[in-house]
Amino acid sequence: MRTNDSQPTSDATVIDLVPATGACRDLVTWYDHQLAGDQPTAADLQRVMARLQDLPAMPGRIGRDINLVISGDTTRSPGEVVRAVDRLRHVANHNPPPVRPEPAALPRRGRRRRRDKNRSKQNGQISLPGFEDQKPAN
């Protein structure tokens, strides 16, 4: 945003999402298990809520969504809470956990193909198909 005198101004607040990512991921995982009918335990939910409560205060929509989820505000509709969890899903996906690298493929054991002794190295450039039999005109 620029003011009339062309001086840049910033009303934006930088939010460090790293602490919130793991807590939001735990919340979304618990919620997804609940939706799937797995009946996650109340103890798991308490751990998730404690982790969300330990987060530093966050401004804006993210902070309001976290506060709504941890407040247990009964004056809000269930739809509002669900929408807050769905918005926090974006935070949970912001910084996915590191993926373990695949182990390096081990060399295959067994018989090796022998190099054909009759196959000699070609000297020079390989001819294009259809041009190998043609000789330059004098």
Side-chain angles (χ1 to χ4, degrees):
M1 178 190 304
R2 292 190 178 263
T3 59
N4 290 341
D5 58 355
S6 297
Q7 294 297 321
T9 62
S10 176
D11 295 337
T13 302
V14 176
I15 299 173
D16 184 10
L17 290 179
V18 173
T21 300
C24 290
R25 188 176 303 122
D26 290 347
L27 171 67
V28 168
T29 300
W30 187 92
Y31 179 71
D32 288 346
H33 285 292
Q34 179 76 19
L35 286 178
D38 295 340
Q39 298 180 356
T41 66
D44 289 339
L45 180 59
Q46 288 174 344
R47 278 191 289 277
V48 169
M49 290 300 145
R51 191 159 179 206
L52 286 169
Q53 289 170 344
D54 289 343
L55 291 174
M58 299 207 171
R61 182 87 250 178
I62 293 172
R64 288 191 304 272
D65 288 341
I66 290 171
N67 290 337
L68 174 61
V69 169
I70 63 177
S71 72
D73 187 354
T74 57
T75 62
R76 295 297 193 55
S77 73
E80 288 178 277
V81 177
V82 168
R83 285 189 296 276
V85 172
D86 283 338
R87 284 189 297 268
L88 291 174
R89 184 180 300 277
H90 294 289
V91 176
N93 293 332
H94 170 69
N95 190 13
V99 177
R100 297 183 108 166
E102 292 291 324
L106 298 174
R108 292 188 327 186
R109 292 187 178 183
R111 294 177 35 189
R112 288 182 152 187
R113 285 190 346 187
R114 287 190 166 168
R115 185 178 187 117
D116 187 1
K117 290 182 183 180
N118 294 333
R119 195 173 96 195
S120 62
K121 293 182 181 179
Q122 294 182 355
N123 293 330
Q125 186 172 357
I126 298 173
S127 301
L128 292 173
F131 292 101
E132 58 271 322
D133 294 329
Q134 296 180 2
K135 294 188 180 190
N138 291 345

